[in-house]
Amino acid sequence: MSVTKICSGVIALMALAAVSAAHAAAPPPPRDVHDHAQVERFIRACEAEWAAQDATNDTASSKVCLADDYQGVSSHAHVVNKAQAMQADPGPITVVSDTVDYIHIRFPTPDVAIAQGGETAVNKDGSRRSLIWTDTWLLRAGQWQIVTSQDSVLAKPYERAKP
């Protein structure tokens, strides 16, 4: 085996490890749970990691971001609890990426945040699936967590705005 092939293999393994490490840790919680800018950064990071879970099967962020009493409606129209939402897909992963396209966050009260967003998943075959969703976050016992959510699959994937 040539040195070039070995180096290419090592570089590929390092890149894979870096991507895995990026998804291996849950987002750090805000230092000041009453600072809306910090809370928004945390919510955006949690939402991005939760979306990526379809492609990575990494549920670390769900452990932190979902309340123990979480109940939501999945994109398959099933009511799910935290354990069900955290289950890794048992079959082969067909999603190569799932990214958040936008998030709108508002604070109707100091201890409630409503995040409404959209995301697009891309499958290995190139097909796309777009979801829109609403997540309700509560500040309880010094932690911001999702207590309920509603996901809806769009009939036709939307296109991102062209720059």
Side-chain angles (χ1 to χ4, degrees):
M1 185 177 277
S2 74
V3 171
T4 304
K5 285 185 180 179
I6 292 172
C7 287
S8 295
V10 169
I11 291 170
L13 285 173
M14 289 171 55
L16 180 61
V19 168
S20 297
H23 288 289
R31 290 181 190 190
D32 180 352
V33 296
H34 301 290
D35 180 330
H36 285 182
Q38 289 182 31
V39 173
E40 281 194 30
R41 279 192 296 276
F42 174 67
I43 288 173
R44 290 177 190 284
C46 279
E47 299 288 6
E49 288 296 318
W50 196 13
Q53 180 177 314
D54 284 344
T56 65
N57 262 347
D58 181 1
T59 62
S61 66
S62 296
K63 290 176 187 169
V64 171
C65 302
L66 298 180
D68 288 340
D69 61 345
Y70 165 82
Q71 291 238 326
V73 179
S74 75
S75 59
H76 301 292
H78 297 119
V79 176
V80 295
N81 61 27
K82 181 176 181 174
Q84 292 164 324
M86 288 177 41
Q87 285 179 342
D89 188 351
I93 297 175
T94 59
V95 177
V96 294
S97 71
D98 192 334
T99 56
V100 171
D101 298 314
Y102 70 91
I103 302 175
H104 301 292
I105 300 170
R106 62 188 177 94
F107 294 87
T109 68
D111 58 350
V112 174
I114 298 173
Q116 189 284 313
E119 66 189 70
T120 301
V122 178
N123 295 309
K124 287 181 181 179
D125 66 5
S127 63
R128 297 165 27 124
R129 178 180 80 142
S130 293
L131 298 175
I132 55 174
W133 43 261
T134 302
D135 294 345
T136 302
W137 290 75
L138 289 184
L139 174 60
R140 295 189 295 190
Q143 290 185 300
W144 281 97
Q145 293 183 311
I146 300 170
V147 294
T148 190
S149 64
Q150 170 79 45
D151 291 355
S152 298
V153 178
L154 294 179
K156 178 181 175 192
Y158 59 84
E159 295 294 324
R160 291 189 177 141
K162 306 276 190 242

